[in-house]
Amino acid sequence: MNIREIAKKADVSIATVSRVLNNSENVSFVTREKVLETLKRYEFKMDPWAKRLASKRTVTKVFIMISKRIMKQLNSKTGEFYSKVMEGIKNSAKANRTMIETVEMESNLDEDKLKNVNGVLLIGGDTTAEHVRFFKKIGMPLVLVDQYIPTVKVDCVVSNGYDGASYAVKYLLSQHIRKIVHIHGFLNHFGFKDRYSGYVAVMEQIGLLPKSYEYNDDIMEDMKPLVDKMLSVYGVPGAIFASNDSIAMKVIETLEDFHIKIPEDVSVIGFDGTEVGKNFIPSLTTLKVPMREMGSLALKRLLDIVYDQDVYPVRISLFTEFMKRGSSI
Amino acid sequence: MNIREIAKKADVSIATVSRVLNNSENVSFVTREKVLETLKRYEFKMDPWAKRLASKRTVTKVFIMISKRIMKQLNSKTGEFYSKVMEGIKNSAKANRTMIETVEMESNLDEDKLKNVNGVLLIGGDTTAEHVRFFKKIGMPLVLVDQYIPTVKVDCVVSNGYDGASYAVKYLLSQHIRKIVHIHGFLNHFGFKDRYSGYVAVMEQIGLLPKSYEYNDDIMEDMKPLVDKMLSVYGVPGAIFASNDSIAMKVIETLEDFHIKIPEDVSVIGFDGTEVGKNFIPSLTTLKVPMREMGSLALKRLLDIVYDQDVYPVRISLFTEFMKRGSSI
DNA sequence: TGATATGATGTAACCGGTTACAGATAAAGG
DNA sequence: CCTTTATCTGTAACCGGTTACATCATATCA
């Protein structure tokens, strides 16, 4: 049952049916009721591909919301991850006649600003359940990028940190390293939590005691106190698994200050697979996350939600790839 | 740059360009080369929606592969899960002009049978890396349903067992139950493994010793020995978390044979949210998996892979929903 | 050499929607 | 009562592909 058949049944033109379907203004009350009734009676189901194809004639507008904290990093070395994600979003937007506008997550949005916005992408680990609820309440299509909130049913695109971390730890174990420390960021960021869980799961499965330290990358503080504490309490570990490349590089720099050699004394593994990590000396062993794909997939998914009806919310996880390089044996 | 512009540049008709794009037979060598060169030069990118819309004029053929083991269950009480998944697949197929054919996973497929097959859905936890490699080698579009294999990059649709299980355990803890046993199926089935991991993670986080038993539902054996062993070694637990509804119901029946009352003596929680579980006495507390959605999403994803170019393989996880019912306090 | 089969290519209809534009009708204003 | 304006509705072009069918050149064969 397509729009033309509905039009015939309701004795109106296809344009009118389309107008009703899109809540267009200029339809009289009686006509609208008549069409709605017909749509329901014949269980009309919109063809998503036809809609998407036809919709190319209009521009779609999407808000990209990023926390101040991440926005600040965006052009620095530590900001490579989200820069690449943004690249992916922009590519996908260009290919889909979509206008994107970057907005600070902290700014409060009145209805006016959101009037002609078709959907929203919430970027990064600072996204909270509150943010999600705000947009869900007003029925705004929504996708979280690099964040997952178990308690809220909402679409998101993340990397598979659990398996990535598990792989890293198993690799180290296969190299006969058993004293493995995990240094991670805030665990309310799902990315960090997920990697942490993968690390802990493998360690405990093998019967080893997980040993982890949280590093607050917000304050950009010196890492010396943390490493100092680790060394004095725990001794020199065989390996350090850091929850991202930035942290891994900081760890390496700090360890070298302590005259500890990488990878001879300690193997260090990062996460993300950034360019800076690759060009770092020593070149960083890491788990590569397809950052551009994360961005483009997220935008694609958002457009699916905007244009297709009854999409069921899902979590989309991207595979990571282990990159053995110079910072580990 | 669309197909018409390419046609103009290459000085051929749009039909010819389409033929080249679809590796149709009837194109002369020189024309094909000319068109291919033009496509490359202008970086032609197919519009997936136009393709999908136009493709409605053809039927797509998809193989649904199920292991003998699951096939046998399909019409029994224990087979509700995959029956519902199949329903979802069929619905989606009907809406997408797709012909599906159910095939035993164990049957060996010669090239002939796969000649006009556009894609394959591999159903259930019996799918192995071998199966995947076979289809990947011949470039066959592929989606796993209710199975995930960390070592192979391939699309799959699964339920989020980790969070579901975590939720169940946390719920029990909130009811002041601390002696929680997990009874699960084969852990090479990702669904069971994932739920197991969620259970273990929460237990260990709280500092409790995880206690789990594997139940082989293949042999359809009596559960008495297993329960007997559990009771003698471990005593009567406060709760049992089973890795699916079928196991949960068997556990309840067996416990009742031991004159243990549900939920007064022991709370039992299942997983899946089947109808039989709902109608069971006592009605089963469980985590509901959107089974039909799992099926329809998998087929949708498969068609995406068949028709859109460069889709990046992902794991799609579905949310579960906790259903508090009579088998638990 | 003329009839017929074969292969390559083009034309136009079609997939199912959206929307610019035109036309009709009714209300408001002079 | 005629003109202007606002509101509603319909027609047809368009989004970017696929494919049935027609056409035409060439090869095959009696």
Side-chain angles (χ1 to χ4, degrees):
Chain A
M1 188 55 67
N2 64 27
I3 203 178
R4 275 161 238 272
E5 299 182 70
I6 295 288
K8 197 168 284 175
K9 299 284 184 192
D11 196 31
V12 295
S13 71
I14 55 167
T16 300
V17 178
S18 178
R19 288 191 190 102
V20 171
L21 286 169
N22 294 290
N23 297 311
S24 177
E25 302 288 293
N26 296 329
V27 183
S28 74
F29 181 78
V30 279
T31 311
R32 161 165 280 129
E33 286 302 304
K34 188 170 61 176
V35 172
L36 283 175
E37 207 258 330
T38 312
L39 288 170
K40 198 158 65 182
R41 188 142 70 94
Y42 292 95
E43 294 175 343
F44 172 79
K45 185 113 176 27
M46 173 104 63
D47 182 300
W49 298 287
K51 184 169 184 95
R52 290 298 282 279
L53 178 58
S55 295
K56 288 202 117 183
R57 306 178 71 182
T58 336
V59 220
T60 309
K61 191 172 171 189
V62 165
F63 268 11
I64 316 289
M65 314 215 48
I66 312 185
S67 67
K68 272 185 189 161
R69 188 178 70 83
I70 295 176
M71 194 95 85
K72 236 180 289 175
Q73 295 180 5
L74 226 48
N75 290 315
S76 73
K77 273 159 290 177
T78 55
E80 186 185 329
F81 184 87
Y82 288 113
S83 297
K84 287 272 169 63
V85 171
M86 289 296 289
E87 266 183 47
I89 294 173
K90 280 172 194 157
N91 282 346
S92 195
K94 208 168 3 169
N96 289 284
R97 265 188 155 254
T98 299
M99 231 189 72
I100 61 179
E101 188 173 328
T102 311
V103 182
E104 269 187 8
M105 206 176 269
E106 288 80 4
S107 64
N108 56 349
L109 302 163
D110 42 21
E111 265 187 49
D112 224 41
K113 273 186 189 160
L114 292 170
K115 199 124 209 178
N116 51 356
V117 175
N118 299 88
V120 169
L121 244 39
L122 287 164
I123 312 285
D126 294 328
T127 305
T128 66
E130 272 318 303
H131 292 120
V132 175
R133 270 192 280 274
F134 172 79
F135 289 110
K136 281 194 110 176
K137 202 160 58 191
I138 58 175
M140 177 68 73
L142 201 60
V143 173
L144 312 196
V145 183
D146 197 36
Q147 174 74 319
Y148 163 68
I149 304 170
T151 53
V152 190
K153 268 193 197 169
V154 64
D155 280 274
C156 62
V157 180
V158 298
S159 61
N160 186 338
Y162 189 92
D163 286 327
S166 299
Y167 191 96
V169 177
K170 281 179 190 159
Y171 170 79
L172 292 168
L173 290 169
S174 78
Q175 302 301 306
H176 310 292
I177 300 175
R178 296 172 66 82
K179 213 169 163 182
I180 305 168
V181 172
H182 182 41
I183 296 183
H184 57 79
F186 271 148
L187 292 185
N188 53 348
H189 176 175
F190 171 71
F192 295 148
K193 179 73 178 297
D194 200 29
R195 293 159 203 184
Y196 171 84
S197 301
Y199 161 78
V200 170
V202 174
M203 292 295 277
E204 286 188 327
Q205 193 191 323
I206 301 297
L208 296 173
L209 194 72
K211 190 75 192 168
S212 62
Y213 294 87
E214 182 162 300
Y215 169 62
N216 180 344
D217 91 1
D218 212 0
I219 333 177
M220 287 303 271
E221 68 190 318
D222 195 11
M223 198 178 252
K224 235 168 207 157
L226 194 152
V227 171
D228 203 17
K229 191 177 150 201
M230 176 188 78
L231 293 173
S232 61
V233 174
Y234 195 64
V236 179
I240 293 176
F241 168 52
S243 66
N244 70 26
D245 284 357
S246 305
I247 299 179
M249 288 184 288
K250 269 212 176 137
V251 167
I252 290 177
E253 282 169 356
T254 313
L255 287 174
E256 285 174 341
D257 286 349
F258 282 89
H259 304 292
I260 292 173
K261 285 194 170 48
I262 314 297
E264 292 81 0
D265 302 333
V266 178
S267 284
V268 177
I269 297 184
F271 208 111
D272 281 353
T274 53
E275 287 297 316
V276 276
K278 188 176 180 181
N279 300 328
F280 193 69
I281 297 173
S283 184
L284 215 54
T285 294
T286 189
L287 285 130
K288 193 172 182 174
V289 175
M291 306 173 252
R292 283 196 195 77
E293 274 78 7
M294 180 177 277
S296 59
L297 255 170
L299 187 61
K300 251 193 227 165
R301 177 73 187 163
L302 182 60
L303 295 177
D304 280 352
I305 298 169
V306 172
Y307 288 113
D308 303 359
Q309 39 201 27
D310 50 61
V311 288
Y312 190 89
V314 297
R315 183 181 71 187
I316 297 177
S317 321
L318 302 176
F319 288 85
T320 63
E321 192 184 349
F322 184 66
M323 311 295 291
K324 164 76 186 74
R325 292 202 282 243
S327 68
S328 73
I329 59 168
Chain B
M1 187 56 68
N2 65 26
I3 203 177
R4 276 161 238 271
E5 298 182 71
I6 295 288
K8 196 168 285 173
K9 298 285 185 190
D11 196 29
V12 295
S13 72
I14 55 168
T16 300
V17 177
S18 179
R19 287 190 190 102
V20 171
L21 285 169
N22 293 290
N23 296 312
S24 176
E25 302 289 294
N26 295 331
V27 182
S28 73
F29 181 77
V30 279
T31 310
R32 162 164 280 128
E33 287 302 304
K34 188 171 60 176
V35 172
L36 283 175
E37 206 258 332
T38 313
L39 287 170
K40 198 159 64 184
R41 188 141 70 94
Y42 292 96
E43 294 174 342
F44 172 79
K45 185 109 178 28
M46 173 104 67
D47 183 302
W49 298 289
K51 184 170 184 95
R52 289 298 280 281
L53 178 57
S55 296
K56 288 201 118 184
R57 308 178 69 182
T58 336
V59 215
T60 308
K61 191 172 172 191
V62 166
F63 268 12
I64 316 288
M65 313 215 49
I66 312 185
S67 67
K68 273 185 189 162
R69 188 178 72 82
I70 295 176
M71 195 94 87
K72 235 180 290 174
Q73 295 182 4
L74 225 49
N75 290 316
S76 74
K77 274 158 290 177
T78 53
E80 186 185 328
F81 184 87
Y82 288 113
S83 297
K84 287 273 170 61
V85 172
M86 288 296 290
E87 265 183 48
I89 294 174
K90 280 171 193 156
N91 282 347
S92 195
K94 211 171 356 169
N96 289 284
R97 267 188 154 254
T98 299
M99 231 189 72
I100 61 179
E101 187 173 328
T102 311
V103 182
E104 270 188 8
M105 207 176 268
E106 289 80 5
S107 64
N108 54 351
L109 302 164
D110 42 21
E111 265 187 49
D112 225 41
K113 274 186 188 157
L114 293 170
K115 198 124 210 178
N116 51 355
V117 174
N118 300 88
V120 169
L121 243 40
L122 287 163
I123 312 284
D126 295 327
T127 305
T128 65
E130 271 319 304
H131 292 120
V132 176
R133 269 191 281 272
F134 172 79
F135 288 110
K136 282 193 109 178
K137 203 159 58 191
I138 58 175
M140 177 69 74
L142 200 60
V143 173
L144 313 195
V145 183
D146 197 37
Q147 174 74 321
Y148 163 68
I149 304 171
T151 51
V152 191
K153 267 191 198 168
V154 64
D155 280 273
C156 61
V157 179
V158 298
S159 61
N160 186 340
Y162 189 92
D163 286 327
S166 300
Y167 192 95
V169 177
K170 281 178 191 161
Y171 170 78
L172 292 168
L173 291 169
S174 78
Q175 301 300 307
H176 308 293
I177 301 175
R178 297 172 67 80
K179 214 170 162 181
I180 304 167
V181 172
H182 182 41
I183 296 183
H184 56 80
F186 272 146
L187 293 184
N188 52 348
H189 177 174
F190 171 71
F192 295 148
K193 178 73 177 296
D194 200 29
R195 293 159 204 187
Y196 171 84
S197 302
Y199 161 78
V200 170
V202 174
M203 292 294 277
E204 287 188 327
Q205 193 192 320
I206 301 297
L208 296 172
L209 195 72
K211 189 76 190 168
S212 61
Y213 294 87
E214 181 161 300
Y215 169 63
N216 180 346
D217 90 0
D218 213 359
I219 333 180
M220 287 303 271
E221 68 189 317
D222 194 12
M223 199 178 253
K224 235 170 208 154
L226 193 152
V227 170
D228 204 18
K229 190 176 148 201
M230 177 189 77
L231 292 175
S232 61
V233 175
Y234 195 64
V236 179
I240 293 177
F241 169 52
S243 65
N244 70 26
D245 284 357
S246 305
I247 298 179
M249 288 184 288
K250 272 213 172 134
V251 166
I252 291 178
E253 284 169 356
T254 313
L255 286 175
E256 286 174 340
D257 286 349
F258 281 89
H259 305 291
I260 292 174
K261 287 194 169 47
I262 314 296
E264 292 80 1
D265 302 333
V266 179
S267 284
V268 177
I269 297 185
F271 208 110
D272 281 353
T274 54
E275 287 297 315
V276 278
K278 189 176 180 181
N279 301 327
F280 193 69
I281 298 172
S283 185
L284 214 54
T285 294
T286 190
L287 285 129
K288 193 172 182 176
V289 176
M291 306 174 253
R292 284 196 195 76
E293 274 78 8
M294 181 178 279
S296 60
L297 254 172
L299 187 61
K300 248 193 230 164
R301 177 71 188 163
L302 182 60
L303 294 177
D304 280 351
I305 297 170
V306 172
Y307 288 112
D308 302 0
Q309 39 202 26
D310 50 60
V311 289
Y312 189 90
V314 298
R315 183 179 74 187
I316 297 177
S317 321
L318 302 176
F319 288 83
T320 63
E321 193 184 347
F322 185 66
M323 311 294 291
K324 164 75 185 74
R325 292 202 282 244
S327 69
S328 74
I329 59 169

